[in-house]
Amino acid sequence: MTTLTITSPAALVTAPLDADDPEGLARLLVKVTVERGFRCGSYKERCLRRRIAVRMRAKGVHTFDDYARVLDADAHEYDRLLDALTINVTKLFRNWDSWSALAAKALPKLWDVTGGAMRVWSAGTSSGEEAYSLAALLHRHAESRGETARLDGALVLGTDIDRASLAAAARGTFGDAAFADTPAELRERYFPGALPAAAAPELRSLVAFEHRDLLLEPPPAGPWHLIVCRNVLIYFDRQTQEVLFERFHEALAPGGMLFLGKVETLLGPARQRFAAVDQRERIYRRL
Ligand SMILES: C[S@@+](CC[C@H](N)C(=O)[O-])C[C@H]1O[C@@H](n2cnc3c(N)ncnc32)[C@H](O)[C@@H]1O
């Protein structure tokens, strides 16, 4: 049996990694893909490498093979690694400027087309902040027109690969940090009460959550009037991003919209299949 090198806590931060071991890394990524169904091959290698390095340092191991043995012996660490690889950072109304543009330029048009029965897919929703943000803007738009009854057929579906995040999304309660980008008016209206603040019933009735791996499964049954996928595709390699843009295009209803936000960029052949609604905030309309 191989003995793992355990270093002192102080050394964990600076423990050198055997980072120049491409075969060791490849073996580890295949292991995680096969054993946990997390398709590492589609993610950018430097992101995976960085996240794995953090976990290796935390466990005080220096080689990928030693870390693989840690995973065999410690199911909890395996979960921690998966958690690190999925990167669940999110906030309500994250980057408010982008949401503001969506509310002004996309929602009114989509409302006119759908008569309120709007179907929205938040792909890579993490713990649901994005889905609740969408539900709040949709409800606010309906309320401003005195047409909340029309929301009966509306749906905001949040999907993610991470089941723990989805369980948090279903609870729909949020701590202070989740509100850092939230305008006071929206917080008071839709997340009243003490922290952790629960989403108002009007939002809860609009949202649903389900597990879905964007890489292994097709989009949920559509068509969708709006697909929101933010801070997710940047972790995938270019080829995978291009495939997903094509899938989003197919899943959208004619005239439906794709909201990427500032971080992602529309790539590949799909660029010809969308027109910009707001180039800066990366809001596109399906052609
Ligand atoms: C940084 S969060 C983005 C959350 C939210 N969209 C936002 O912008 O605030 C990235 C999310 O993508 C999810 N994710 C990563 N790979 C995925 C995959 N293959 N299928 C579905 N979701 C995935 C992660 O679990 C994580 O919740």
Side-chain angles (χ1 to χ4, degrees), residues 43 86-91 94 124-126 130 160-162 212-215 230-232 235-236:
Y43 292 78
T86 48
I87 310 167
N88 307 116
V89 181
T90 187
K91 266 185 281 185
R94 184 179 189 183
T125 199
S126 190
E130 189 171 88
D160 203 279
I161 193 176
D162 186 332
R212 192 162 288 263
D213 185 337
L214 277 170
L215 303 175
R230 302 167 73 224
N231 306 295
V232 178
Y235 301 113
F236 299 148

Side-chain angles (χ1 to χ4, degrees), residues 124-272:
T125 199
S126 190
S127 35
E129 283 82 342
E130 189 171 88
Y132 287 99
S133 304
L134 284 159
L137 292 185
L138 194 52
H139 189 274
R140 187 178 70 162
H141 185 74
E143 205 164 53
S144 71
R145 300 174 57 115
E147 293 178 346
T148 48
R150 290 190 167 214
L151 286 171
D152 266 1
L155 168 70
V156 180
L157 177 67
T159 66
D160 203 279
I161 193 176
D162 186 332
R163 292 184 193 279
S165 292
L166 289 169
R171 285 194 291 278
T173 54
F174 303 98
D176 200 28
F179 290 100
D181 287 3
T182 306
E185 162 240 333
L186 286 169
R187 180 169 178 175
E188 281 156 24
R189 171 68 183 85
Y190 292 112
F191 304 89
L195 293 170
E202 298 93 311
L203 305 193
R204 301 191 74 98
S205 62
L206 286 172
V207 300
F209 296 97
E210 69 179 43
H211 180 267
R212 192 162 288 263
D213 185 337
L214 277 170
L215 303 175
L216 298 179
E217 294 166 279
W224 297 96
H225 302 107
L226 173 62
I227 297 177
V228 181
C229 191
R230 302 167 73 224
N231 306 295
V232 178
L233 301 178
I234 34 154
Y235 301 113
F236 299 148
D237 62 32
R238 185 183 172 118
Q239 192 192 356
T240 303
Q241 292 189 34
E242 290 189 11
V243 169
L244 288 172
F245 286 132
E246 296 283 353
R247 284 203 197 144
F248 290 160
H249 181 267
E250 281 164 27
L252 279 169
M257 295 196 195
L258 175 64
F259 176 33
L260 297 178
K262 280 202 212 358
V263 173
E264 269 95 356
T265 308
L266 192 58
L267 297 170
R271 292 182 65 155
Q272 314 306 320

Side-chain angles (χ1 to χ4, degrees), residues 30-81:
V30 168
K31 176 184 175 66
V32 173
T33 303
V34 170
E35 293 180 353
R36 290 299 187 103
F38 184 80
R39 211 171 116 174
C40 296
S42 296
Y43 292 78
K44 286 180 187 153
E45 191 185 297
R46 71 186 144 78
C47 289
L48 296 174
R49 198 183 264 274
R50 203 180 310 131
R51 300 277 152 178
I52 291 168
V54 169
R55 293 310 313 153
M56 286 172 67
R57 288 208 172 89
K59 298 307 282 185
V61 294
H62 299 189
T63 72
F64 295 118
D65 288 342
D66 278 351
Y67 187 60
R69 282 183 275 275
V70 171
L71 296 180
D72 287 338
D74 184 349
H76 179 62
E77 175 56 24
Y78 222 142
D79 291 340
R80 295 284 303 267
L81 173 66

Side-chain angles (χ1 to χ4, degrees), residues 114-131:
T114 58
M118 204 184 297
R119 291 169 51 84
V120 184
W121 174 27
S122 161
T125 199
S126 190
S127 35
E129 283 82 342
E130 189 171 88

